[in-house]
Every structure is written in C-alpha cells, then in structure tokens.
Amino acid sequence: MTLAELLAGHPDIARRTAQRHIAKLIDSGRITARGEGRARRYFDVSPQTGADAPADGADGFPRHIPLSADSVDVLAYIDQPPEARTPVGYQPDFLEAYRPNETWYLSASLRRQLHKMGRTADVDKPAGTYSRAILNRLLVDLSWASSHLEGNTYSRLDTRALIEHGKAARGKAAIETQMILNHKTAIELLVENIEATELNRYTLMNLHSALAENLLPNPADEGRIRQHAVDIGKSVYRPLSTPQQIEHALDALLGKVTQIRDPFEQSFFMMVHLPYLQPFADINKRTSRLAANLPLFRANLCPLTFLDVPEQAYSRATLGVYEMTRVELLRDLYVWAYERSTQEYLAIKQDLAEPDPLRLLWRDLIKQTIHEVITHPTADPLGCIQRITGERVPEQQQPDVQALIVEELRRLHEGVLARYGLRPSEYLAWKVVQGR
C-alpha cells in the first residue's frame, strides 16, 4: 500500500505519527519499502499462509531480489492464472517506439551503477582482453547457469568436469550433456572472435546454430529464421508466425541495437527484444543471454553469468515483457544478477596469472598448427610443428613457440577440441595412429 492508502484506512492517525510507526516497522524487518516519492509502497514481509501469501520459494519470485513498485505491479499481473490474463500478440510499436541513445530502459543512474560494479582493470585494453583472461572460469559458470535456467540438472562440478576434461556426468540425459557442450562452443565462438564480432545477423545465426546443435527436432532449424508458428509455455503471448514478418522485425531490431552506445543498455536491449521476437524455432532465450554478454566482452566489463538466478524469477520477468511489454521486472532482475556476477569475477580476477605474452602473440598460429597436426594423423607431429614455425615465426622465437605448441599438444583432450576447430572423431583417429 501507499502512505495515502494507509492514512485513508486510519483517518484518526496523523501523517507524521504514521510515518514514525512505518519507520519502526521497517527497522524491525516487519515491512519493506519500495519506490520513491508518491510511488513509494509498503509491503508486509511477516510470515503468511493461504491464498494471501506472497509468491516465493520454488514456484514464486524470491523476496531477496529487490523490486521497484512498477515491478511489483508486473508481478501481480503475471502471477494470475493464464485464463485471467489477456491473450496478446506481437506488438510492433514496442520496438518502433525505441530510439537508440534517446530512449533508455536503464536510467542514467542505473547505468552508472552498473559501470561502477562491472569495471575491470582491463577496461582500456583491446576488446576481449578481460573475457579471454577469465575464459576457463567463464565457460563453466555461464554454461552451467544458462543451462540451469532451462531445467538442466548438471551440477556446477559436473559442468566443470565435462568442459575441462570431456567427462559426461553419470545418470544425466544426453540432451543435458549436449546443452552444456553447446554453450561452451557458443561462448568460445564469441570470445575467440571478439574483434570481428558484432550484434548482427551473422553473429546471431551462428550463435543460435552453436547453441542448437543436435537439440532441435528439425536440424534445418539450427541457425535459421523460424518457419512456423510457436506457442510460449504458460503464457498467453503469441509471437509473429510468418517468416517474412520475423525477418522484417529482426532487421529492425538489429538496426537499433547496433546504434546503442552504452554496453549495458545494448546488453539489456537484447535480453528484452530477442526473446520477445522469438526469431528461432527454439533456444531464443539462451541465444539472448549469450548475445547480451557480447557488449560486455567487447568493453572489458565483468560478464553477466546468471549465477544464482532462480528459474522462476527469470521466467516471470520474461513473461512481463511478453504479455505486457513491460521491462521493469526483467530490469530489476538484470541489475541484481549482474551484481552477483561481479562479486564473483572481481574476486577471482585478483588470483589470475597474467597471460603468457608469447602465447598471446602467437595464439592463432598455435591453434592452426594443432589443427594441422591432428587432421594429418600420419604426418610426423614434430616435423609439422617445425615446418610451420619455420615459415612464419622469427628465427629467435622459434624454439620457444615450438615448445608452447608441443606443450599444448601434450595437454590436448576432448574438452578443448572446439578451441582448435576439431571434432572428436578427428582427435580419436589421430590418437589411434599415434598410438596414444
């Protein structure tokens, strides 16, 4: 309730007296306040049961995530049964009304707060410096958290074993293992090509293709515009149904996002509009979560890993966009989730070793050489390494670069094959020929 509503119900209490009582109740933790000025509302946080109990737990929106009054309004509507909500289709005005660098989903104060939270020591270095430095941890955290939001039951430790050692968890469905590995490939696709990667059609299609590999009923749908109508589970929202409409809307979306200058606004814009459009047959939200990280990678800001984001909170926030074209609930969740991510990553970065400058300088050559060695299993590995480095590396650096490649080859395993553009079958064939 607002203060005005409280006073209307208790006309015998003076305004200042009511304000003192409210302050005491807030201090004691019995109520909480959200919003500012006349929009400020007060909520009872004492234990409740029955029909009046606020949503929480496995099926509700967690109370520990702070919400604005506007978000509470969105949540109140979304938490109604589907039959009580109004069926709605795609609203083109939602995108058309957005003016890059004039319209803001994230206010100036919020953007300042996010930049302050996410700033790293690499902020002035070449694009992708920070994401490459934390890549091993990022692959595990983002793959696990994003998959978890889709109902994947892999634990964080299971995910780490799969990504770092190629070891699938026992008792898990093949689709869960595939989902994790697809995330790994897609993240590497973004980070390894960061200098040339923009939020354009090529990036989105290939990002979706990587995330969708071997997961869709029709493999032809991997990385292409949706060719049929889709329904959204537990929602009364109906997206566009014809490929021509989807193509047109996607072009408009990409035309606007590329103009946005602030990386956080650009990131959040993708979180809002890509799932709303549903340009792919499935896996739209996963694609949006990784696409939302691209502006942060490029600006050397902390990533948004979605660690500890409850699936029910994310689902409700997305429904608020689908059914109401309201971004407030998703915005509050985005800010909270980003703060959680930065707490993890600003701490671990202090413990990271500085990248080997020689490995960084010759990283592309190292990868190309490993690929060449593995895809020619009958050739002498050392001879191949010496030939390639002899052609492309200055003579004084050749011994050190050759040693780096030999060490990389020695550590090669299934969990890092995508880094070198290799398939498991190629690696297996090489091991058989080499007697390893």
Side-chain angles (χ1 to χ4, degrees):
M1 302 178 72
T2 65
L3 178 58
E5 290 168 336
L6 288 167
L7 292 173
H10 301 276
D12 55 321
I13 299 179
R15 184 183 186 89
R16 293 181 66 84
T17 302
Q19 288 173 326
R20 285 198 301 273
H21 285 315
I22 288 171
K24 290 179 181 178
L25 290 168
I26 292 174
D27 290 342
S28 67
R30 292 179 61 188
I31 69 171
T32 184
R34 297 174 187 151
E36 301 295 336
R38 292 183 179 180
R40 191 172 182 81
R41 296 186 179 199
Y42 302 96
F43 299 85
D44 184 8
V45 295
S46 58
Q48 298 179 27
T49 58
D52 292 331
D56 203 354
D59 295 322
F61 202 97
R63 293 178 185 164
H64 62 272
I65 299 176
L67 300 180
S68 64
D70 287 334
S71 292
V72 173
D73 289 341
V74 174
L75 193 56
Y77 178 80
I78 292 302
D79 277 342
Q80 297 179 102
E83 57 269 20
R85 308 197 303 261
T86 305
V88 62
Y90 181 84
Q91 305 294 308
D93 291 348
F94 183 36
L95 178 62
E96 290 172 6
Y98 188 92
R99 298 288 181 265
N101 309 309
E102 296 177 18
T103 305
W104 298 99
Y105 290 150
L106 304 173
S107 66
S109 59
L110 265 184
R111 297 195 305 275
R112 284 194 297 270
Q113 177 186 346
L114 290 165
H115 277 280
K116 185 176 180 180
M117 287 193 296
R119 184 180 177 86
T120 72
D122 297 326
V123 70
D124 296 321
K125 294 182 180 178
T129 300
Y130 183 77
S131 56
R132 288 190 179 114
I134 60 167
L135 180 59
N136 290 340
R137 176 70 179 268
L138 177 66
L139 287 172
V140 174
D141 288 348
L142 184 50
S143 296
W144 172 72
S146 180
S147 297
H148 186 68
L149 286 174
E150 301 300 323
N152 194 300
T153 62
Y154 259 73
S155 70
R156 205 165 170 180
L157 287 176
D158 289 338
T159 303
R160 181 174 181 177
L162 176 61
I163 287 178
E164 294 185 356
H165 306 294
K167 182 180 178 182
R170 289 184 178 180
K172 301 297 182 184
I175 190 173
E176 295 188 292
T177 302
Q178 184 77 58
M179 187 187 296
I180 297 284
L181 292 176
N182 287 0
H183 272 85
K184 174 182 180 290
T185 301
I187 296 164
E188 288 177 331
L189 177 71
L190 290 179
V191 174
E192 299 300 331
N193 301 285
I194 197 73
E195 296 91 347
T197 304
E198 302 283 351
L199 282 173
N200 54 27
R201 194 183 183 91
Y202 176 85
T203 297
L204 278 188
M205 297 303 180
N206 283 274
L207 189 58
H208 180 266
S209 175
L211 287 166
E213 183 181 359
N214 205 24
L215 292 180
L216 296 180
N218 182 1
D221 284 330
E222 297 172 8
R224 77 169 181 180
I225 293 296
R226 174 164 53 86
Q227 303 294 303
H228 52 80
V230 293
D231 290 330
I232 308 296
K234 300 180 181 179
S235 178
V236 296
Y237 170 62
R238 298 293 177 265
L240 293 173
S241 57
T242 66
Q244 294 81 4
Q245 291 176 314
I246 299 169
E247 294 262 8
H248 177 75
L250 181 60
D251 288 342
L253 186 161
L254 293 172
K256 295 204 173 192
V257 73
T258 54
Q259 297 178 54
I260 299 172
R261 290 191 289 268
D262 184 88
F264 288 106
E265 180 74 12
Q266 197 177 40
S267 168
F268 186 65
F269 182 93
M270 293 303 290
M271 286 275 292
V272 169
H273 281 283
L274 195 66
Y276 182 64
L277 176 59
Q278 293 280 306
F280 304 111
D282 196 2
I283 310 182
N284 291 280
K285 287 186 290 187
R286 270 168 267 180
T287 305
S288 77
R289 291 194 290 270
L290 265 61
N293 267 292
L294 179 57
L296 309 183
F297 291 166
R298 291 185 62 82
N300 287 318
L301 293 159
C302 276
L304 174 59
T305 58
F306 301 92
L307 288 171
D308 299 327
V309 173
E311 188 278 330
Q312 288 293 338
Y314 181 75
S315 175
R316 280 167 165 76
T318 307
L319 285 179
V321 176
Y322 289 169
E323 299 187 15
M324 304 173 73
T325 61
R326 293 273 298 271
V327 304
E328 296 93 338
L329 189 56
L330 186 61
R331 177 200 62 203
D332 289 351
L333 182 62
Y334 179 94
V335 173
W336 179 85
Y338 191 68
E339 184 174 18
R340 285 288 297 111
S341 294
T342 59
Q343 289 168 353
E344 290 274 340
Y345 278 81
L346 291 180
I348 67 167
K349 181 63 167 69
Q350 298 171 359
D351 300 326
L352 290 174
E354 285 296 311
D356 183 332
L358 195 65
R359 187 186 298 273
L360 187 62
L361 178 63
W362 295 103
R363 55 190 296 273
D364 290 336
L365 178 80
I366 292 171
K367 291 179 180 180
Q368 292 164 10
T369 305
I370 295 292
H371 185 275
E372 181 78 10
V373 168
I374 300 301
T375 54
H376 294 81
T378 57
D380 173 41
L382 188 57
C384 182
I385 293 170
Q386 291 173 338
R387 173 179 58 79
I388 294 175
T389 54
E391 293 171 354
R392 299 174 57 182
V393 180
E395 185 175 354
Q396 64 273 21
Q397 292 185 340
Q398 287 178 17
D400 291 333
V401 175
Q402 289 170 6
L404 282 176
I405 297 172
V406 169
E407 177 63 17
E408 202 90 350
L409 192 61
R410 186 186 65 79
R411 292 201 308 255
L412 194 65
H413 59 80
E414 290 181 0
V416 297
L417 295 181
R419 183 184 303 171
Y420 307 101
L422 294 168
R423 296 190 299 273
S425 59
E426 293 172 325
Y427 178 52
L428 181 61
W430 179 78
K431 287 206 301 182
V432 169
V433 173
Q434 294 294 323
R436 292 174 178 251

